[in-house]
Amino acid sequence: MPTLSLDETASCACGAVSLRIEGLVRSMLVCSCLDCRKSTGTGHSAVVLMSTDSVAVSGKTKGHTRQAASGSEITRYFCPQCGTPLFARTARAPLLALVPAGLFDRPDWFSPSQAIFSRTHLDWDTLDETLPHYDTYRDNGGF
């Protein structure tokens, strides 16, 4: 993946919470695990991985922690007023923030390099066939 540095802002649907994203993108991916499907209400999530120090949050958020398909705990943060998903953090990669690409007004720069948790991908959810697909994570265990 070519190096991409973001300088973007995003906000929830009601505007009570905003994110300032500034820094290098670690990875861009789609995930079809059950947890991501439940959190998005569709067949997969589209995620931008950023260092936690590249994401500044303004406004009050609420988090919900559960065990993810990887076996690690994941905390998903959302706006307590409108429910918009804002970002997630996982114990598996505590220095990364998982930011939904759809949170940005114009994420034309989003270009996933992989599809993870393809073992639970739904046939009706069409993904780019040229993306590398992994049953869980990439073979080396990373994002």
Side-chain angles (χ1 to χ4, degrees):
M1 178 179 89
T3 302
L4 175 64
S5 185
L6 292 181
D7 185 1
E8 297 274 339
T9 57
S11 62
C12 64
C14 72
V17 182
S18 63
L19 272 65
R20 175 83 180 145
I21 312 294
E22 199 169 4
L24 290 176
V25 170
R26 296 298 187 91
S27 186
M28 291 184 261
L29 56 94
V30 294
C31 180
S32 297
C33 76
L34 183 58
D35 187 64
C36 282
R37 291 187 355 226
K38 285 185 178 285
S39 72
T40 63
T42 188
H44 70 274
S45 63
V47 179
V48 180
L49 274 68
M50 302 291 297
S51 295
T52 54
D53 60 2
S54 297
V55 180
V57 180
S58 297
K60 190 173 192 163
T61 64
K62 185 166 182 166
H64 176 262
T65 302
R66 61 176 278 164
Q67 187 171 10
S70 67
S72 178
E73 283 192 343
I74 186 166
T75 303
R76 294 186 181 274
Y77 295 89
F78 56 94
C79 173
Q81 290 185 44
C82 67
T84 300
L86 299 166
F87 64 96
R89 296 190 59 195
T90 175
R92 183 176 178 275
L95 299 178
L96 293 178
L98 294 76
V99 182
L103 190 63
F104 300 92
D105 290 342
R106 296 196 46 91
D108 299 337
W109 43 262
F110 183 74
S111 179
S113 61
Q114 61 185 301
I116 62 173
F117 284 89
S118 293
R119 69 181 183 201
T120 51
H121 181 256
L122 302 168
D123 291 339
W124 55 260
D125 182 39
T126 306
L127 293 176
D128 183 349
E129 290 296 322
T130 64
L131 279 178
H133 286 66
Y134 301 97
D135 280 347
T136 57
Y137 296 106
R138 286 190 313 206
D139 296 337
N140 66 4
F143 290 107

